[in-house]
Amino acid sequence: MSATITPPAAVATRGRAPRRLALLIALLALVLAALGLAALLHGTPRIGALAELWPILLEGDGQRIARLVVWELRLPRLLLAALAGAALATAGVLLQDALKNPLAGPELLGVGAGAALVVAIVVVFRAPLPFALLPPAALCGGLLAGLVVLAAMRRSKSSVRLILLGAALTALLNALLICVISLGEQQEVAALYQYLLGSLAGRDWRHLSLAAPWLLIGLPLAALCARPLNLLQLGDEVAEGLGLPTVRTRALILALAATLTAAVVAVCGPVGFVALLAPHLARRLLGSGDARLVLPAAALLGATLLVGADLLARLAFAPIELPVGIWTTALGGPALLILLRRQLRPGR
Amino acid sequence: MSAVGKKGRDGTTSSALRAAGVRVSYGDRTVLDGLELDITSGTVTAVVGPNGSGKSTLLKTLARLLRSAEGTVFLDGTAITSLPTAAVARRLAVLPQGPTAPGGLTVGELVEQGRYPHTGPLRMLRMQDHEAIRTALTLTDMTAYAARPLDSLSGGERQRAWIALALAQDTPTLLLDEPTTFLDIGHQLEVLELIRRLNRERGLTIVLVLHDLNQAARYAERLVVLDRGRIVADGVPRDVLTTALLAEVFGVRTHILADPESGAPLCLPYGVVGHD
Ligand SMILES: Nc1ncnc2c1ncn2[C@@H]1O[C@H](COP(=O)(O)OP(=O)(O)O)[C@@H](O)[C@H]1O
Ligand SMILES: [Mg+2]
């Protein structure tokens, strides 16, 4: 092998990506903290200074109104936004890598459509369900739809067939959803719309405590998927040859993604583009597709994006609030186009 | 050194891989039917045959990437279907035809994945894993490329990186599907020399699919000729490569000489049978 010209000796095997991850995490933590503080301070009533916020947060002191607004409205909403963003981004990484498709998203698992269908049925047919039980019902609907889609996928081995199957079943659920909506009256449809666009408005501790257990268990489990995801990216034959039971592993990973997504959409509705955008952004910033690095980076990015978008939703046109789903879609779509423009350019 | 493995250390031959009455189908199209093949430990076997004759299917079946509808594949005497996926991967490495890697993946990151079946539930790399990765990179002469992305390499370098992945698995048996296709002649010979070295110095059992009959005859001690899913010839190259067989299987008119350097049969194709 003397004919090959060897470049200057380099023994490192992983390039600069791990160092970039450390940098990225530090940076995002700062941004997230700043956005979080802004979210706690701004709004009506506005809290003028950090000096006023600390007593409220730490000692439960301060003005009664301010205390109530921070503790009962802004803090749970902030935590939910961060957790939901992290969960959606993680689900996005799981799906994109497991299906080897850069455009795969949680909507393929029918989870969002299933949750929406339950909400629509309850609202339109005026099911005798207390308002507080709507999110748990939506969670059940989402999980059930995910289960049906995954069961249908059970026999397929190829990613392409899995994606087609998921897209077809989701389209079916969406068609049902539209049927139900078309039966509704204007007032009900308007209320449904708020949910279908994805919103964090008015979400409190009850919503958070419904979603949080699923997410706090699901996110660490996702970290265990990193090595298998790296193998799956090499193709099923290579992965199987390296000792990964590909069919079973992929099913488990998709089930995890469905669970994370279901917990989010049950309380926030389908918030668009975070699951798609955060993984791509993470890969680009890291310069690597290594799932061990992309998973934490994307989760933190997702949290930052959704907290930032929700801040925009609350403050941009105050006192009117546009659902956060509109913001993530309006800003996420173009951002994704810019990110993917290299792949989209003809001749590649 | 060269005798190690050929006969096993105690002088007996043992079977590394055996296909017994294997039938494999894609949907209702049966490709292999009742196939019998026994691969002796420490040997190099080349599988040759026309396009679509079932070479890749055979290799994938031996590696359990495809399940046989009937019959059994035995790995070191154990039915391969009774073994966990990771246990198979610790004994047998397989490089499928034309693998692809995600963009940006470096050679080192790729080769590191070869340790997957050896690592514990937390998948941390230990001393012996790093050692195996280093050895695999050294054997394939890829150490200097470890930090380079695969998509920045030439075809030959990339193929060596994939072979390094299989070597990092550190298995006694190695299956390679067309490891020399798309390489120029220099790189083809590099890969074949590496295979010979792995067999002679490390006693690896190697089964590889090759297109070049002369290279197969020179580097393998056994040729298995597949035609439409059946083994039509099997044995030492000198017995297998005959004018009649090449006319029947490949449809070419040939002359067969003895290679002046190695004595292996050398076939010179002249034309397509029936098109003179
Ligand atoms: N995934 C598949 N689905 C259906 N048919 C296949 C598939 N793979 C291979 N075949 C068919 O099986 C036969 C043998 O293919 P293969 O083993 O790839 O041949 P070779 O490697 O010798 O060129 C061919 O006729 C091919 O068309
Ligand atoms: Mg082939």
Side-chain angles (χ1 to χ4, degrees), chain A residues 1 10 12-13 227 231 237 241-244 292, chain B residues 60 89 96 106 112-113 116-117 123 141 143 147 169:
Chain A
M1 308 205 180
T13 57
R227 290 295 303 271
L231 290 192
E237 287 180 356
L242 288 170
L244 188 78
R292 287 172 297 179
Chain B
K60 286 185 213 168
T106 66
E112 189 190 313
Q113 320 265 15
Y116 185 82
R123 308 292 170 202
D141 218 7
T143 310
Q169 249 174 287

mmCIF file with all atom_site columns, all heavy atoms in Angstrom, chain A residues 1 10 12-13 227 231 237 241-244 292, chain B residues 60 89 96 106 112-113 116-117 123 141 143 147 169:
data_model
loop_
_atom_site.group_PDB
_atom_site.id
_atom_site.type_symbol
_atom_site.label_atom_id
_atom_site.label_alt_id
_atom_site.label_comp_id
_atom_site.label_asym_id
_atom_site.label_entity_id
_atom_site.label_seq_id
_atom_site.pdbx_PDB_ins_code
_atom_site.Cartn_x
_atom_site.Cartn_y
_atom_site.Cartn_z
_atom_site.occupancy
_atom_site.B_iso_or_equiv
_atom_site.pdbx_formal_charge
_atom_site.auth_seq_id
_atom_site.auth_comp_id
_atom_site.auth_asym_id
_atom_site.auth_atom_id
_atom_site.pdbx_PDB_model_num
ATOM 1   N N   . MET A 1 1   ? 0.828   -1.188  0.000  1.00 0.00 ? 1   MET A N   1
ATOM 2   C CA  . MET A 1 1   ? 0.000   0.000   0.000  1.00 0.00 ? 1   MET A CA  1
ATOM 3   C C   . MET A 1 1   ? 0.863   1.238   0.000  1.00 0.00 ? 1   MET A C   1
ATOM 4   O O   . MET A 1 1   ? 0.637   2.192   0.729  1.00 0.00 ? 1   MET A O   1
ATOM 5   C CB  . MET A 1 1   ? -0.892  0.001   1.234  1.00 0.00 ? 1   MET A CB  1
ATOM 6   C CG  . MET A 1 1   ? -1.660  -1.290  1.366  1.00 0.00 ? 1   MET A CG  1
ATOM 7   S SD  . MET A 1 1   ? -3.152  -1.055  2.289  1.00 0.00 ? 1   MET A SD  1
ATOM 8   C CE  . MET A 1 1   ? -3.802  -2.725  2.247  1.00 0.00 ? 1   MET A CE  1
ATOM 9   N N   . ALA A 1 10  ? -2.680  12.014  11.696 1.00 0.00 ? 10  ALA A N   1
ATOM 10  C CA  . ALA A 1 10  ? -3.764  12.414  12.592 1.00 0.00 ? 10  ALA A CA  1
ATOM 11  C C   . ALA A 1 10  ? -4.282  11.153  13.238 1.00 0.00 ? 10  ALA A C   1
ATOM 12  O O   . ALA A 1 10  ? -4.643  10.215  12.556 1.00 0.00 ? 10  ALA A O   1
ATOM 13  C CB  . ALA A 1 10  ? -4.871  13.110  11.805 1.00 0.00 ? 10  ALA A CB  1
ATOM 14  N N   . ALA A 1 12  ? -6.549  11.287  15.952 1.00 0.00 ? 12  ALA A N   1
ATOM 15  C CA  . ALA A 1 12  ? -7.888  11.480  16.508 1.00 0.00 ? 12  ALA A CA  1
ATOM 16  C C   . ALA A 1 12  ? -8.906  10.823  15.597 1.00 0.00 ? 12  ALA A C   1
ATOM 17  O O   . ALA A 1 12  ? -8.752  10.825  14.382 1.00 0.00 ? 12  ALA A O   1
ATOM 18  C CB  . ALA A 1 12  ? -8.186  12.968  16.638 1.00 0.00 ? 12  ALA A CB  1
ATOM 19  N N   . THR A 1 13  ? -9.930  10.191  16.181 1.00 0.00 ? 13  THR A N   1
ATOM 20  C CA  . THR A 1 13  ? -10.901 9.497   15.347 1.00 0.00 ? 13  THR A CA  1
ATOM 21  C C   . THR A 1 13  ? -12.199 10.277  15.206 1.00 0.00 ? 13  THR A C   1
ATOM 22  O O   . THR A 1 13  ? -13.009 9.961   14.380 1.00 0.00 ? 13  THR A O   1
ATOM 23  C CB  . THR A 1 13  ? -11.237 8.127   15.943 1.00 0.00 ? 13  THR A CB  1
ATOM 24  O OG1 . THR A 1 13  ? -11.710 8.323   17.272 1.00 0.00 ? 13  THR A OG1 1
ATOM 25  C CG2 . THR A 1 13  ? -10.027 7.224   15.954 1.00 0.00 ? 13  THR A CG2 1
ATOM 26  N N   . ARG A 1 227 ? -26.297 4.786   20.505 1.00 0.00 ? 227 ARG A N   1
ATOM 27  C CA  . ARG A 1 227 ? -25.458 3.853   19.739 1.00 0.00 ? 227 ARG A CA  1
ATOM 28  C C   . ARG A 1 227 ? -26.259 3.085   18.693 1.00 0.00 ? 227 ARG A C   1
ATOM 29  O O   . ARG A 1 227 ? -25.844 3.003   17.534 1.00 0.00 ? 227 ARG A O   1
ATOM 30  C CB  . ARG A 1 227 ? -24.734 2.875   20.680 1.00 0.00 ? 227 ARG A CB  1
ATOM 31  C CG  . ARG A 1 227 ? -23.628 3.494   21.530 1.00 0.00 ? 227 ARG A CG  1
ATOM 32  C CD  . ARG A 1 227 ? -22.457 4.022   20.721 1.00 0.00 ? 227 ARG A CD  1
ATOM 33  N NE  . ARG A 1 227 ? -21.814 3.040   19.871 1.00 0.00 ? 227 ARG A NE  1
ATOM 34  C CZ  . ARG A 1 227 ? -20.813 2.256   20.260 1.00 0.00 ? 227 ARG A CZ  1
ATOM 35  N NH1 . ARG A 1 227 ? -20.360 2.328   21.478 1.00 0.00 ? 227 ARG A NH1 1
ATOM 36  N NH2 . ARG A 1 227 ? -20.260 1.398   19.419 1.00 0.00 ? 227 ARG A NH2 1
ATOM 37  N N   . LEU A 1 231 ? -25.770 2.921   14.511 1.00 0.00 ? 231 LEU A N   1
ATOM 38  C CA  . LEU A 1 231 ? -25.663 1.709   13.698 1.00 0.00 ? 231 LEU A CA  1
ATOM 39  C C   . LEU A 1 231 ? -26.718 1.707   12.597 1.00 0.00 ? 231 LEU A C   1
ATOM 40  O O   . LEU A 1 231 ? -26.431 1.364   11.447 1.00 0.00 ? 231 LEU A O   1
ATOM 41  C CB  . LEU A 1 231 ? -25.827 0.458   14.561 1.00 0.00 ? 231 LEU A CB  1
ATOM 42  C CG  . LEU A 1 231 ? -24.704 0.126   15.542 1.00 0.00 ? 231 LEU A CG  1
ATOM 43  C CD1 . LEU A 1 231 ? -24.889 -1.275  16.089 1.00 0.00 ? 231 LEU A CD1 1
ATOM 44  C CD2 . LEU A 1 231 ? -23.348 0.234   14.902 1.00 0.00 ? 231 LEU A CD2 1
ATOM 45  N N   . GLU A 1 237 ? -28.476 -3.852  6.906  1.00 0.00 ? 237 GLU A N   1
ATOM 46  C CA  . GLU A 1 237 ? -27.635 -5.040  6.785  1.00 0.00 ? 237 GLU A CA  1
ATOM 47  C C   . GLU A 1 237 ? -26.365 -4.898  7.601  1.00 0.00 ? 237 GLU A C   1
ATOM 48  O O   . GLU A 1 237 ? -25.971 -5.813  8.330  1.00 0.00 ? 237 GLU A O   1
ATOM 49  C CB  . GLU A 1 237 ? -27.310 -5.308  5.318  1.00 0.00 ? 237 GLU A CB  1
ATOM 50  C CG  . GLU A 1 237 ? -28.513 -5.848  4.572  1.00 0.00 ? 237 GLU A CG  1
ATOM 51  C CD  . GLU A 1 237 ? -28.210 -6.130  3.126  1.00 0.00 ? 237 GLU A CD  1
ATOM 52  O OE1 . GLU A 1 237 ? -27.083 -5.827  2.676  1.00 0.00 ? 237 GLU A OE1 1
ATOM 53  O OE2 . GLU A 1 237 ? -29.101 -6.654  2.444  1.00 0.00 ? 237 GLU A OE2 1
ATOM 54  N N   . GLY A 1 241 ? -25.416 -6.988  10.939 1.00 0.00 ? 241 GLY A N   1
ATOM 55  C CA  . GLY A 1 241 ? -24.137 -7.685  10.950 1.00 0.00 ? 241 GLY A CA  1
ATOM 56  C C   . GLY A 1 241 ? -23.266 -7.280  12.128 1.00 0.00 ? 241 GLY A C   1
ATOM 57  O O   . GLY A 1 241 ? -22.401 -8.040  12.556 1.00 0.00 ? 241 GLY A O   1
ATOM 58  N N   . LEU A 1 242 ? -23.491 -6.078  12.666 1.00 0.00 ? 242 LEU A N   1
ATOM 59  C CA  . LEU A 1 242 ? -22.725 -5.622  13.822 1.00 0.00 ? 242 LEU A CA  1
ATOM 60  C C   . LEU A 1 242 ? -23.398 -6.029  15.128 1.00 0.00 ? 242 LEU A C   1
ATOM 61  O O   . LEU A 1 242 ? -22.966 -5.621  16.207 1.00 0.00 ? 242 LEU A O   1
ATOM 62  C CB  . LEU A 1 242 ? -22.556 -4.101  13.770 1.00 0.00 ? 242 LEU A CB  1
ATOM 63  C CG  . LEU A 1 242 ? -21.587 -3.599  12.706 1.00 0.00 ? 242 LEU A CG  1
ATOM 64  C CD1 . LEU A 1 242 ? -21.659 -2.093  12.552 1.00 0.00 ? 242 LEU A CD1 1
ATOM 65  C CD2 . LEU A 1 242 ? -20.158 -4.013  13.049 1.00 0.00 ? 242 LEU A CD2 1
ATOM 66  N N   . GLY A 1 243 ? -24.478 -6.805  15.027 1.00 0.00 ? 243 GLY A N   1
ATOM 67  C CA  . GLY A 1 243 ? -25.069 -7.368  16.237 1.00 0.00 ? 243 GLY A CA  1
ATOM 68  C C   . GLY A 1 243 ? -26.298 -6.649  16.744 1.00 0.00 ? 243 GLY A C   1
ATOM 69  O O   . GLY A 1 243 ? -26.726 -6.878  17.868 1.00 0.00 ? 243 GLY A O   1
ATOM 70  N N   . LEU A 1 244 ? -26.876 -5.760  15.940 1.00 0.00 ? 244 LEU A N   1
ATOM 71  C CA  . LEU A 1 244 ? -28.082 -5.051  16.372 1.00 0.00 ? 244 LEU A CA  1
ATOM 72  C C   . LEU A 1 244 ? -29.313 -5.744  15.785 1.00 0.00 ? 244 LEU A C   1
ATOM 73  O O   . LEU A 1 244 ? -29.421 -5.863  14.576 1.00 0.00 ? 244 LEU A O   1
ATOM 74  C CB  . LEU A 1 244 ? -28.033 -3.601  15.879 1.00 0.00 ? 244 LEU A CB  1
ATOM 75  C CG  . LEU A 1 244 ? -29.128 -2.690  16.422 1.00 0.00 ? 244 LEU A CG  1
ATOM 76  C CD1 . LEU A 1 244 ? -28.801 -2.264  17.841 1.00 0.00 ? 244 LEU A CD1 1
ATOM 77  C CD2 . LEU A 1 244 ? -29.294 -1.465  15.534 1.00 0.00 ? 244 LEU A CD2 1
ATOM 78  N N   . ARG A 1 292 ? -24.936 10.322  19.573 1.00 0.00 ? 292 ARG A N   1
ATOM 79  C CA  . ARG A 1 292 ? -24.555 10.562  20.971 1.00 0.00 ? 292 ARG A CA  1
ATOM 80  C C   . ARG A 1 292 ? -24.394 12.047  21.248 1.00 0.00 ? 292 ARG A C   1
ATOM 81  O O   . ARG A 1 292 ? -24.583 12.512  22.366 1.00 0.00 ? 292 ARG A O   1
ATOM 82  C CB  . ARG A 1 292 ? -23.235 9.840   21.284 1.00 0.00 ? 292 ARG A CB  1
ATOM 83  C CG  . ARG A 1 292 ? -23.389 8.339   21.385 1.00 0.00 ? 292 ARG A CG  1
ATOM 84  C CD  . ARG A 1 292 ? -22.046 7.675   21.500 1.00 0.00 ? 292 ARG A CD  1
ATOM 85  N NE  . ARG A 1 292 ? -21.249 7.911   20.301 1.00 0.00 ? 292 ARG A NE  1
ATOM 86  C CZ  . ARG A 1 292 ? -20.013 7.456   20.129 1.00 0.00 ? 292 ARG A CZ  1
ATOM 87  N NH1 . ARG A 1 292 ? -19.422 6.782   21.098 1.00 0.00 ? 292 ARG A NH1 1
ATOM 88  N NH2 . ARG A 1 292 ? -19.366 7.676   19.023 1.00 0.00 ? 292 ARG A NH2 1
ATOM 89  N N   . LYS B 2 60  ? -25.536 -13.389 2.324  1.00 0.00 ? 60  LYS B N   1
ATOM 90  C CA  . LYS B 2 60  ? -26.432 -12.846 3.348  1.00 0.00 ? 60  LYS B CA  1
ATOM 91  C C   . LYS B 2 60  ? -27.083 -13.960 4.152  1.00 0.00 ? 60  LYS B C   1
ATOM 92  O O   . LYS B 2 60  ? -27.329 -13.809 5.350  1.00 0.00 ? 60  LYS B O   1
ATOM 93  C CB  . LYS B 2 60  ? -27.517 -11.984 2.698  1.00 0.00 ? 60  LYS B CB  1
ATOM 94  C CG  . LYS B 2 60  ? -27.013 -10.647 2.208  1.00 0.00 ? 60  LYS B CG  1
ATOM 95  C CD  . LYS B 2 60  ? -28.183 -9.825  1.710  1.00 0.00 ? 60  LYS B CD  1
ATOM 96  C CE  . LYS B 2 60  ? -27.785 -8.946  0.552  1.00 0.00 ? 60  LYS B CE  1
ATOM 97  N NZ  . LYS B 2 60  ? -28.956 -8.372  -0.112 1.00 0.00 ? 60  LYS B NZ  1
ATOM 98  N N   . ALA B 2 89  ? -22.541 -11.744 15.726 1.00 0.00 ? 89  ALA B N   1
ATOM 99  C CA  . ALA B 2 89  ? -21.633 -10.662 15.324 1.00 0.00 ? 89  ALA B CA  1
ATOM 100 C C   . ALA B 2 89  ? -20.266 -10.777 15.989 1.00 0.00 ? 89  ALA B C   1
ATOM 101 O O   . ALA B 2 89  ? -19.312 -10.165 15.537 1.00 0.00 ? 89  ALA B O   1
ATOM 102 C CB  . ALA B 2 89  ? -22.261 -9.307  15.634 1.00 0.00 ? 89  ALA B CB  1
ATOM 103 N N   . PRO B 2 96  ? -21.530 -6.175  3.405  1.00 0.00 ? 96  PRO B N   1
ATOM 104 C CA  . PRO B 2 96  ? -22.448 -6.309  2.278  1.00 0.00 ? 96  PRO B CA  1
ATOM 105 C C   . PRO B 2 96  ? -21.929 -5.541  1.065  1.00 0.00 ? 96  PRO B C   1
ATOM 106 O O   . PRO B 2 96  ? -21.012 -4.730  1.170  1.00 0.00 ? 96  PRO B O   1
ATOM 107 C CB  . PRO B 2 96  ? -23.759 -5.710  2.780  1.00 0.00 ? 96  PRO B CB  1
ATOM 108 C CG  . PRO B 2 96  ? -23.597 -5.533  4.248  1.00 0.00 ? 96  PRO B CG  1
ATOM 109 C CD  . PRO B 2 96  ? -22.133 -5.417  4.502  1.00 0.00 ? 96  PRO B CD  1
ATOM 110 N N   . THR B 2 106 ? -16.630 10.030  10.044 1.00 0.00 ? 106 THR B N   1
ATOM 111 C CA  . THR B 2 106 ? -15.202 9.840   9.829  1.00 0.00 ? 106 THR B CA  1
ATOM 112 C C   . THR B 2 106 ? -14.854 8.360   9.849  1.00 0.00 ? 106 THR B C   1
ATOM 113 O O   . THR B 2 106 ? -15.623 7.526   10.337 1.00 0.00 ? 106 THR B O   1
ATOM 114 C CB  . THR B 2 106 ? -14.356 10.536  10.908 1.00 0.00 ? 106 THR B CB  1
ATOM 115 O OG1 . THR B 2 106 ? -14.600 9.897   12.166 1.00 0.00 ? 106 THR B OG1 1
ATOM 116 C CG2 . THR B 2 106 ? -14.687 12.012  11.015 1.00 0.00 ? 106 THR B CG2 1
ATOM 117 N N   . GLU B 2 112 ? -15.041 2.362   14.766 1.00 0.00 ? 112 GLU B N   1
ATOM 118 C CA  . GLU B 2 112 ? -15.405 2.199   16.172 1.00 0.00 ? 112 GLU B CA  1
ATOM 119 C C   . GLU B 2 112 ? -16.685 1.379   16.338 1.00 0.00 ? 112 GLU B C   1
ATOM 120 O O   . GLU B 2 112 ? -16.844 0.637   17.310 1.00 0.00 ? 112 GLU B O   1
ATOM 121 C CB  . GLU B 2 112 ? -15.581 3.599   16.768 1.00 0.00 ? 112 GLU B CB  1
ATOM 122 C CG  . GLU B 2 112 ? -15.742 3.651   18.250 1.00 0.00 ? 112 GLU B CG  1
ATOM 123 C CD  . GLU B 2 112 ? -16.145 5.051   18.721 1.00 0.00 ? 112 GLU B CD  1
ATOM 124 O OE1 . GLU B 2 112 ? -15.513 6.030   18.275 1.00 0.00 ? 112 GLU B OE1 1
ATOM 125 O OE2 . GLU B 2 112 ? -17.085 5.141   19.501 1.00 0.00 ? 112 GLU B OE2 1
ATOM 126 N N   . GLN B 2 113 ? -17.604 1.512   15.365 1.00 0.00 ? 113 GLN B N   1
ATOM 127 C CA  . GLN B 2 113 ? -18.877 0.772   15.464 1.00 0.00 ? 113 GLN B CA  1
ATOM 128 C C   . GLN B 2 113 ? -18.656 -0.734  15.427 1.00 0.00 ? 113 GLN B C   1
ATOM 129 O O   . GLN B 2 113 ? -19.515 -1.502  15.863 1.00 0.00 ? 113 GLN B O   1
ATOM 130 C CB  . GLN B 2 113 ? -19.814 1.141   14.313 1.00 0.00 ? 113 GLN B CB  1
ATOM 131 C CG  . GLN B 2 113 ? -19.810 2.592   13.948 1.00 0.00 ? 113 GLN B CG  1
ATOM 132 C CD  . GLN B 2 113 ? -20.920 3.339   14.629 1.00 0.00 ? 113 GLN B CD  1
ATOM 133 O OE1 . GLN B 2 113 ? -21.518 2.842   15.570 1.00 0.00 ? 113 GLN B OE1 1
ATOM 134 N NE2 . GLN B 2 113 ? -21.181 4.530   14.165 1.00 0.00 ? 113 GLN B NE2 1
ATOM 135 N N   . TYR B 2 116 ? -19.274 -2.723  18.558 1.00 0.00 ? 116 TYR B N   1
ATOM 136 C CA  . TYR B 2 116 ? -20.602 -2.769  19.173 1.00 0.00 ? 116 TYR B CA  1
ATOM 137 C C   . TYR B 2 116 ? -20.944 -4.126  19.805 1.00 0.00 ? 116 TYR B C   1
ATOM 138 O O   . TYR B 2 116 ? -21.373 -4.174  20.958 1.00 0.00 ? 116 TYR B O   1
ATOM 139 C CB  . TYR B 2 116 ? -21.674 -2.375  18.139 1.00 0.00 ? 116 TYR B CB  1
ATOM 140 C CG  . TYR B 2 116 ? -23.048 -2.292  18.734 1.00 0.00 ? 116 TYR B CG  1
ATOM 141 C CD1 . TYR B 2 116 ? -23.456 -1.159  19.417 1.00 0.00 ? 116 TYR B CD1 1
ATOM 142 C CD2 . TYR B 2 116 ? -23.936 -3.357  18.641 1.00 0.00 ? 116 TYR B CD2 1
ATOM 143 C CE1 . TYR B 2 116 ? -24.703 -1.080  19.983 1.00 0.00 ? 116 TYR B CE1 1
ATOM 144 C CE2 . TYR B 2 116 ? -25.204 -3.288  19.210 1.00 0.00 ? 116 TYR B CE2 1
ATOM 145 C CZ  . TYR B 2 116 ? -25.576 -2.147  19.881 1.00 0.00 ? 116 TYR B CZ  1
ATOM 146 O OH  . TYR B 2 116 ? -26.816 -2.076  20.455 1.00 0.00 ? 116 TYR B OH  1
ATOM 147 N N   . PRO B 2 117 ? -20.739 -5.228  19.103 1.00 0.00 ? 117 PRO B N   1
ATOM 148 C CA  . PRO B 2 117 ? -21.145 -6.504  19.715 1.00 0.00 ? 117 PRO B CA  1
ATOM 149 C C   . PRO B 2 117 ? -20.288 -6.900  20.915 1.00 0.00 ? 117 PRO B C   1
ATOM 150 O O   . PRO B 2 117 ? -20.671 -7.792  21.675 1.00 0.00 ? 117 PRO B O   1
ATOM 151 C CB  . PRO B 2 117 ? -20.984 -7.517  18.571 1.00 0.00 ? 117 PRO B CB  1
ATOM 152 C CG  . PRO B 2 117 ? -20.032 -6.879  17.634 1.00 0.00 ? 117 PRO B CG  1
ATOM 153 C CD  . PRO B 2 117 ? -20.272 -5.411  17.732 1.00 0.00 ? 117 PRO B CD  1
ATOM 154 N N   . ARG B 2 123 ? -22.218 0.496   26.438 1.00 0.00 ? 123 ARG B N   1
ATOM 155 C CA  . ARG B 2 123 ? -21.501 0.706   25.175 1.00 0.00 ? 123 ARG B CA  1
ATOM 156 C C   . ARG B 2 123 ? -20.256 1.564   25.326 1.00 0.00 ? 123 ARG B C   1
ATOM 157 O O   . ARG B 2 123 ? -19.915 2.334   24.437 1.00 0.00 ? 123 ARG B O   1
ATOM 158 C CB  . ARG B 2 123 ? -22.436 1.347   24.134 1.00 0.00 ? 123 ARG B CB  1
ATOM 159 C CG  . ARG B 2 123 ? -23.738 0.604   23.945 1.00 0.00 ? 123 ARG B CG  1
ATOM 160 C CD  . ARG B 2 123 ? -23.508 -0.727  23.298 1.00 0.00 ? 123 ARG B CD  1
ATOM 161 N NE  . ARG B 2 123 ? -24.702 -1.559  23.323 1.00 0.00 ? 123 ARG B NE  1
ATOM 162 C CZ  . ARG B 2 123 ? -24.675 -2.877  23.207 1.00 0.00 ? 123 ARG B CZ  1
ATOM 163 N NH1 . ARG B 2 123 ? -23.548 -3.508  23.048 1.00 0.00 ? 123 ARG B NH1 1
ATOM 164 N NH2 . ARG B 2 123 ? -25.774 -3.582  23.233 1.00 0.00 ? 123 ARG B NH2 1
ATOM 165 N N   . ASP B 2 141 ? -4.138  -0.082  6.665  1.00 0.00 ? 141 ASP B N   1
ATOM 166 C CA  . ASP B 2 141 ? -3.336  1.088   6.335  1.00 0.00 ? 141 ASP B CA  1
ATOM 167 C C   . ASP B 2 141 ? -4.171  2.362   6.361  1.00 0.00 ? 141 ASP B C   1
ATOM 168 O O   . ASP B 2 141 ? -4.008  3.246   5.530  1.00 0.00 ? 141 ASP B O   1
ATOM 169 C CB  . ASP B 2 141 ? -2.718  0.911   4.940  1.00 0.00 ? 141 ASP B CB  1
ATOM 170 C CG  . ASP B 2 141 ? -1.299  1.468   4.901  1.00 0.00 ? 141 ASP B CG  1
ATOM 171 O OD1 . ASP B 2 141 ? -0.794  1.843   5.980  1.00 0.00 ? 141 ASP B OD1 1
ATOM 172 O OD2 . ASP B 2 141 ? -0.716  1.537   3.811  1.00 0.00 ? 141 ASP B OD2 1
ATOM 173 N N   . THR B 2 143 ? -4.734  4.206   9.319  1.00 0.00 ? 143 THR B N   1
ATOM 174 C CA  . THR B 2 143 ? -4.521  4.965   10.552 1.00 0.00 ? 143 THR B CA  1
ATOM 175 C C   . THR B 2 143 ? -4.469  6.468   10.288 1.00 0.00 ? 143 THR B C   1
ATOM 176 O O   . THR B 2 143 ? -5.074  7.257   11.016 1.00 0.00 ? 143 THR B O   1
ATOM 177 C CB  . THR B 2 143 ? -3.205  4.526   11.217 1.00 0.00 ? 143 THR B CB  1
ATOM 178 O OG1 . THR B 2 143 ? -3.214  3.105   11.288 1.00 0.00 ? 143 THR B OG1 1
ATOM 179 C CG2 . THR B 2 143 ? -3.081  5.104   12.614 1.00 0.00 ? 143 THR B CG2 1
ATOM 180 N N   . ALA B 2 147 ? -9.335  10.499  11.078 1.00 0.00 ? 147 ALA B N   1
ATOM 181 C CA  . ALA B 2 147 ? -10.184 11.665  11.336 1.00 0.00 ? 147 ALA B CA  1
ATOM 182 C C   . ALA B 2 147 ? -10.826 12.209  10.066 1.00 0.00 ? 147 ALA B C   1
ATOM 183 O O   . ALA B 2 147 ? -11.546 13.196  10.108 1.00 0.00 ? 147 ALA B O   1
ATOM 184 C CB  . ALA B 2 147 ? -9.366  12.759  12.019 1.00 0.00 ? 147 ALA B CB  1
ATOM 185 N N   . GLN B 2 169 ? -14.372 -5.870  14.275 1.00 0.00 ? 169 GLN B N   1
ATOM 186 C CA  . GLN B 2 169 ? -15.260 -6.826  14.939 1.00 0.00 ? 169 GLN B CA  1
ATOM 187 C C   . GLN B 2 169 ? -14.472 -8.000  15.506 1.00 0.00 ? 169 GLN B C   1
ATOM 188 O O   . GLN B 2 169 ? -14.951 -8.700  16.384 1.00 0.00 ? 169 GLN B O   1
ATOM 189 C CB  . GLN B 2 169 ? -16.307 -7.331  13.932 1.00 0.00 ? 169 GLN B CB  1
ATOM 190 C CG  . GLN B 2 169 ? -17.706 -6.859  14.217 1.00 0.00 ? 169 GLN B CG  1
ATOM 191 C CD  . GLN B 2 169 ? -18.666 -7.274  13.113 1.00 0.00 ? 169 GLN B CD  1
ATOM 192 O OE1 . GLN B 2 169 ? -18.638 -6.725  12.014 1.00 0.00 ? 169 GLN B OE1 1
ATOM 193 N NE2 . GLN B 2 169 ? -19.518 -8.258  13.393 1.00 0.00 ? 169 GLN B NE2 1
#
